[in-house]
């Protein structure tokens, strides 16, 4: 059987506008070229007389007119482009025409009660447009507080014995800047190279900072020392911020630092730029704030569960014990247990090149943990780590968070377990 040539066969039933291939190129009749060429040349020469970059913009001071000054004799198509370039963010009339914005609204399964104009505002960072009526500052503040509230109650009620350092790490893993940046990519949102009025409203608009002079951000190395790296600390009135060698304790992180235990860095108006992670985090937070304002608390909590809490997080991998045997001894003494004792449960190949020892840690007759290693010391350490994780990762069967008791028809709140804290050595 001879192979069919699909392209030629399909082209016979399709119109010239939708055919998969064209075997000819349309050339306009020669009688029209004499009229088109002089007109096109005149428009190009007129456009060269106006440099759009030289249009004077208005001041950004509040109370002053910020409309651009555009020459009256400029052609209409150039006036429109000049006005768009002069705007810091896309105008409202372009929002309804954006296919990217409509696709994002449908992709997130947002309700029709949340206007597409609000979603477009979530995509405008404060570094792109300083006007708070058009950027996402207010929405991101509300969304950040909601994310912090829902995430902290979910972690603390599910694992009431977690150490504070692990709680900070879990908070960052759920709603930290790196995670929210990944969520932005999963939502299909792209960043614009340079913000402006001519940009499609479906792009995330922000002014990125120069990578060669990247500023200090929370989470950098050395943030265990107060003020050792980065700018001066502002925000919660942390005392003695000028001391550069003082160690930051866990208690001070809870009181003075942000929800991730990182320093709150100052921001100056001289450098109105931001990083990609910060811009993406503010966008995801702004969407949460918009859902809360337009749909209410139940819809916001459902949005949080679908996009944040549904992600798998291995909390057991976040522990880092430096001396697990000492910590276990202190824990048993604090709780009134007998002193832990390590015992060999089984072994094989003691005299071979690859021996395996199975050691258990007991407090009286109760086995607290079990570990396997190639040496007795390694197996004993792993058994102590397993015992500590078994204590700290305790989780109640029926977990209810405080926000579940909100609403007119909610069940009464029942107090949950509150642990006295981690072991202090």
């Amino acid at each position: 059987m001879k192979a069919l040539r699909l392209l030629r066969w399909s082209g016979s039933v399709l119109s010239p506008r939708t055919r998969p291939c064209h075997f000819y190129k349309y050339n306009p009749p020669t009688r029209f070229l004499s009229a088109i060429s002089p007109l096109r040349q005149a428009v190009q020469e007129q456009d060269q007389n106006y440099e759009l970059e030289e249009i004077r913009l208005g001041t950004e001071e509040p109370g002053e007119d910020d409309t651009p000054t555009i020459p009256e004799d400029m052609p209409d198509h150039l006036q429109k482009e000049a006005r768009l370039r002069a705007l810091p963010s896309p105008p409202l009339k372009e929002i309804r025409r954006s296919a990217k914005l409509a696709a994002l609204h449908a992709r997130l399964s947002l309700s029709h009660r949340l206007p597409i104009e609000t979603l477009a505002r979530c995509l405008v960072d404060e570094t792109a447009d300083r006007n708070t009526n058009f950027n996402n500052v207010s929405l991101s503040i509300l969304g950040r507080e909601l994310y912090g509230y829902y995430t902290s109650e979910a972690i603390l009620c599910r694992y009431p014995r977690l150490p504070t350092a692990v709680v900070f790490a879990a908070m960052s893993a759920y709603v930290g800047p790196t995670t929210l940046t990944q969520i932005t990519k999963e939502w299909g949102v792209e960043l614009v190279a340079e913000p402006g009025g001519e940009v499609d409203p479906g792009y995330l608009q922000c002014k990125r900072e120069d990578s060669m002079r990247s500023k200090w951000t929370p989470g950098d190395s050395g943030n265990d020392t107060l003020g050792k790296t980065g700018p001066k600390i502002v925000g919660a009135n942390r005392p003695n911020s000028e001391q550069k060698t003082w160690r930051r304790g866990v208690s001070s992180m809870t009181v003075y630092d942000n929800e991730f235990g990182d320093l709150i860095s100052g921001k100056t108006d001289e450098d109105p730029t931001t990083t990609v992670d910060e811009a993406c985090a503010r966008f995801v937070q702004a969407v949460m704030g918009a859902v809360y304002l337009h749909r209410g608390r139940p819809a916001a909590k459902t949005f949080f569960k679908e996009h944040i809490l549904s992600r798998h997080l291995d909390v057991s991998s976040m522990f880092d014990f430096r001396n697990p045997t000492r910590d276990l001894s202190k824990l048993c003494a604090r709780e009134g247990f007998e002193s832990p004792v390590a015992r060999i449960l089984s072994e094989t190949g003691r005299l071979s090149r690859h021996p395996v020892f199975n050691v258990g840690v007991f407090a009286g007759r109760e086995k607290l943990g079990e570990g396997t290693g190639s040496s007795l010391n390694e197996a004993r350490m792993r058994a102590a780590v397993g015992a500590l994780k078994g204590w700290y990762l305790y989780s109640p069967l029926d977990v209810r968070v405080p926000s579940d008791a909100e609403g007119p028809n909610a069940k009464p709140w029942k107090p949950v377990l509150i642990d006295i804290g981690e072991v202090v050595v």
Side-chain angles (χ1 to χ4, degrees):
M1 180 181 294
K2 297 178 65 176
L4 295 177
R5 308 189 70 171
L6 296 180
L7 288 180
R8 288 188 178 182
W9 177 80
S10 61
S12 62
V13 296
L14 294 178
S15 62
R17 190 173 294 179
T18 59
R19 286 180 181 175
C21 60
H22 298 278
F23 299 98
Y24 63 90
K25 182 178 180 181
Y26 174 76
N27 294 319
T30 56
R31 63 177 180 272
F32 294 115
L33 293 179
S34 59
I36 294 176
S37 300
L39 178 61
R40 182 180 301 173
Q41 183 178 1
V43 172
Q44 292 178 355
E45 292 178 355
Q46 190 177 9
D47 293 349
Q48 293 176 358
N49 297 330
Y50 298 95
E51 294 293 338
L52 296 180
E53 292 77 4
E54 297 179 358
I55 295 179
R56 182 180 59 85
L57 300 181
T59 59
E60 296 183 357
E61 296 295 332
E64 297 186 12
D65 186 15
D66 56 354
T67 57
T69 302
I70 301 176
E72 296 180 356
D73 57 342
M74 179 179 288
D76 294 339
H77 66 284
L78 284 183
Q79 288 186 11
K80 181 180 179 180
E81 186 177 357
R83 292 190 181 95
L84 290 178
R85 291 192 179 185
L87 294 176
S89 59
L92 297 178
K93 62 181 181 180
E94 299 293 335
I95 294 176
R96 291 287 178 178
R97 306 174 185 175
S98 175
K100 284 182 173 293
L101 202 57
L104 178 62
H105 194 280
R107 193 180 302 121
L108 299 182
S109 300
L110 300 177
S111 173
H112 66 278
R113 294 174 55 185
L114 196 156
I116 197 171
E117 289 81 4
T118 304
L119 182 60
R121 180 179 176 181
C122 297
L123 289 166
V124 180
D125 193 75
E126 61 177 340
T127 57
D129 193 344
R130 292 300 187 90
N131 193 337
T132 56
N133 295 325
F134 297 97
N135 58 28
N136 60 5
V137 173
S138 57
L139 294 176
S140 63
I141 293 175
L142 176 60
R144 183 177 70 247
E145 298 300 329
L146 290 173
Y147 277 140
Y149 171 55
Y150 289 147
T151 307
S152 60
E153 68 173 5
I155 295 174
L156 294 177
C157 292
R158 184 176 301 177
Y159 303 105
R161 291 175 177 172
L162 278 184
T164 307
V166 181
V167 173
F168 284 148
M171 288 280 296
S172 179
Y174 270 122
V175 291
T178 304
T179 303
L180 297 186
T181 302
Q182 184 64 30
I183 292 177
T184 304
K185 295 179 180 178
E186 293 175 0
W187 287 355
V189 179
E190 300 176 352
L191 273 76
V192 70
E194 185 68 23
E198 74 280 4
V199 179
D200 191 296
Y203 288 99
L204 178 57
Q205 303 191 49
C206 64
K207 290 184 179 180
R208 309 183 194 182
E209 67 178 9
D210 189 2
S211 59
M212 298 300 295
R213 51 181 183 86
S214 179
K215 62 182 178 182
W216 176 87
T217 54
D220 288 346
S221 59
N223 67 344
D224 286 339
T225 304
L226 182 61
K228 188 174 181 179
T229 58
K232 185 178 180 180
I233 305 158
V234 298
N237 296 325
R238 172 180 280 276
N240 304 315
S241 59
E242 68 280 355
Q243 299 294 335
K244 298 183 178 181
T245 57
W246 287 14
R247 182 181 177 274
R248 294 167 52 234
V250 177
S251 300
S252 66
M253 293 181 186
T254 307
V255 176
Y256 298 111
D257 298 338
N258 61 7
E259 62 270 24
F260 309 125
D262 295 329
L263 294 172
I264 302 176
S265 60
K267 192 172 184 180
T268 60
D269 296 335
E270 299 177 356
D271 186 20
T273 57
T274 184
T275 61
V276 174
D277 290 351
E278 293 174 352
C280 293
R282 284 193 288 265
F283 159 66
V284 180
Q285 294 165 357
V287 174
M288 179 64 171
V291 172
Y292 182 85
L293 289 178
H294 289 276
R295 294 298 313 281
R297 184 196 58 82
K301 193 167 184 180
T302 303
F303 184 85
F304 169 77
K305 290 181 179 179
E306 293 177 351
H307 294 276
I308 303 297
L309 207 58
S310 61
R311 296 173 175 270
H312 174 70
L313 178 63
D314 187 10
V315 182
S316 61
S317 62
M318 297 182 176
F319 289 88
D320 185 16
F321 299 103
R322 298 181 179 179
N323 197 338
T325 55
R326 182 185 61 180
D327 295 346
L328 183 59
S329 299
K330 293 289 184 179
L331 177 62
C332 292
R334 190 191 71 179
E335 298 297 329
F337 302 151
E338 297 184 13
S339 299
V341 178
R343 301 172 184 172
I344 298 179
L345 300 180
S346 62
E347 64 174 282
T348 178
R350 179 185 284 263
L351 301 179
S352 65
R353 295 180 59 184
H354 303 286
V356 178
F357 300 94
N358 189 15
V359 176
V361 176
F362 294 83
R365 294 184 177 181
E366 297 292 335
K367 185 172 71 171
L368 304 180
E370 183 177 343
T372 304
S374 58
S375 63
L376 290 174
N377 189 28
E378 180 183 357
R380 181 170 60 90
M381 289 290 182
R382 292 186 176 182
V385 170
L388 290 173
K389 288 185 177 181
W391 174 265
Y392 286 126
L393 293 177
Y394 162 76
S395 179
L397 296 178
D398 187 14
V399 180
R400 289 194 68 207
V401 295
S403 60
D404 291 341
E406 299 176 358
N409 300 324
K411 296 180 180 180
W413 167 252
K414 294 182 179 180
V416 296
L417 173 65
I418 300 178
D419 192 71
I420 62 177
E422 63 266 26
V423 179
V424 178
V425 294

